[in-house]
Amino acid sequence: MTRPGARLRSLATRLFDSSTMERLIDPAIADLQHEHHEATHDGRVWRGRAMSLVGYGACWKVLTIAAVRHAVFERTADDDRSVSRAIAFSLVAVGALTAALILPELEWTALRVSGAGKASRLVLSSVPSALVIALPLGLVFGVLLGLRHRRPTARVKWTVAGLGMLCSVGAFIIIGWLMPAANQEFRQLIAGRQLLRGFNELTLGELASGDPVRLMQVMSGGVTEARLALEFQFRVALAFAPLALTLFSLGVIAAQRRVRGPITIAVAALAACFGYYTLLYITRQAIYRDSPLALAPAWMQWMPNLTFLLIAWLSFRRSLATAPKESPQ
Amino acid sequence: MTVPARSSVPTLPPKEALILELLVEGSELYGLQLVAASKGRLKRGTVYVTLGRMEEKGFIASRLEKGPSDAGGLPRRIYEATAFGRRVLSAYEHVVRHLTPEPAQ
């Protein structure tokens, strides 16, 4: 039988240097194993389980602290350079993609509005919906291009994954509240009058309420509980995209065996983005057309993220199997 | 008189002082024994981070328990205060004793 904490230790040895293992993680796992053994040896099975639960909690806390220390305080100049490059490339890519998404729309709408004030409000109100698409795609380009020069260390991976997580939190706020308000503002500016809202103009809270009767008063068109649940799942899944695509990009970079040129990497990033949105489109179509092949709608909404996370996991596995262990610091 | 560089003067945060006190009293202790003896002031999720930092500062030393543990799992780490750690604690207690304001009459 596997001892408690053995798998956790196996995972940790792949991520941390020997000094961190000896000083931080091994003692915590030793406590967990010792306490569990003491309790089960005396025949107190439930106490053993309870002690394991507490011990695992402590081990995960130690692991989290070690990961943050590793990523933030013990980084090297090379790590800093890699992370800075990934951030800089991501910012440029997000900015360029946002502009590319906004400009054609504005060119068309600018002909229909008059006044500099109104035009600037139009620009501002179109930014959130453009960011929803630009953020995950920009991260793919940023991470792949920024880290292409060398195999990322565990510290770089943790830091970039943390950035992906932050972007997902940001995307959640944008998708949930900023985008609906901005969309409505945009539509009313173009129409020049008050308009009823559509699904894209409902906040995440309103979608979560699942109350079609109340929402019918502020919405145009039919609304059902099922449709509200579907849109809610879609938005949450879309907010998760920056993290899923960041992990995917990290996995691809970690698994690459030699340094590729910027054009090859840019093409790979483009293909990944195209793949993600094609998958998103196909799953949405399958849900709305009630395809017999479709799984439950909630699963279908998460399909693109799950697919890219699966590829990330396989890539990390491959990189861990082939890479030499990081030298102790 | 030469003034020591600021970074060379050891600092002793309250948790590190508590650990040193416990180690001076109890000679050698495991991490979990320290947590238990602290009566809730040390947490098992963070005690090893503090112990690791104190070891880097030279306040304490550690070794693995001899032979396989009773559980047959990983050997536990045993901590003890170093001579330097004892001096730092003594100086800290001296400072605390002399700088704590006396109760008003």
Side-chain angles (χ1 to χ4, degrees), chain A residues 3 9 22-35 37-38 51 54-55 58 61-62 65 69, chain B residues 30-32 43-46 48-50 52-53 55-56 62 64-65 69-77 79:
Chain A
R3 283 184 194 288
R9 186 172 188 273
E22 279 170 24
R23 303 282 168 213
L24 285 184
I25 293 157
D26 278 353
I29 293 176
D31 285 344
L32 161 69
Q33 293 179 343
H34 185 83
E35 278 193 320
H37 173 80
E38 266 191 352
M51 296 315 294
V54 175
K61 197 169 174 182
V62 172
I65 293 169
R69 273 168 48 131
Chain B
Y30 297 115
L32 267 190
K43 304 280 178 239
R44 58 187 291 172
T46 52
Y48 292 110
V49 180
T50 313
R53 195 169 52 232
E55 215 169 343
E56 280 168 19
S62 73
L64 291 176
E65 63 183 353
S69 71
D70 300 340
L74 289 172
R76 286 180 295 172
R77 194 163 274 278
Y79 299 88

Side-chain angles (χ1 to χ4, degrees), chain A residues 242-270:
Chain A
L243 179 59
L245 286 170
T246 300
L247 294 177
F248 162 81
S249 310
L250 273 176
V252 168
I253 283 293
Q256 73 167 355
R257 290 193 175 153
R258 62 186 172 85
V259 175
R260 314 266 176 189
I263 294 176
T264 314
I265 291 287
V267 171
L270 207 61

Side-chain angles (χ1 to χ4, degrees), chain A residues 91-224:
Chain A
L91 283 174
V92 170
V94 170
L97 282 165
T98 307
L101 288 166
I102 290 175
L103 288 177
E105 180 91 359
L106 286 181
E107 207 176 6
W108 178 76
T109 50
L111 300 172
R112 303 174 61 179
V113 296
S114 57
K118 205 171 178 183
S120 58
R121 278 170 66 196
L122 268 177
V123 174
L124 278 178
S125 57
S126 54
V127 168
S129 39
L131 265 181
V132 169
I133 299 171
L135 203 56
L137 302 192
L139 280 168
V140 174
F141 278 93
V143 173
L144 287 178
L145 285 168
L147 301 182
R148 76 184 174 84
H149 287 294
R150 68 186 191 107
R151 192 186 276 265
T153 60
R155 289 188 193 100
V156 172
K157 286 181 206 161
W158 279 107
T159 312
V160 174
L163 288 172
M165 173 74 93
L166 271 180
C167 287
S168 264
V169 172
F172 184 75
I173 295 166
I174 294 172
I175 289 172
W177 291 272
L178 286 180
M179 187 193 78
N183 277 359
Q184 183 67 0
E185 165 93 357
F186 187 88
R187 291 168 72 229
Q188 291 185 161
L189 274 172
I190 296 292
R193 61 187 166 86
Q194 292 281 320
L195 291 174
L196 287 170
R197 290 188 276 167
F199 281 102
N200 287 339
E201 286 73 55
L202 293 180
T203 65
L204 212 52
E206 287 168 329
L207 289 173
S209 74
D211 185 357
V213 179
R214 190 174 66 81
L215 291 173
M216 279 292 274
Q217 295 163 8
V218 293
M219 283 187 70
S220 59
V223 52
T224 61

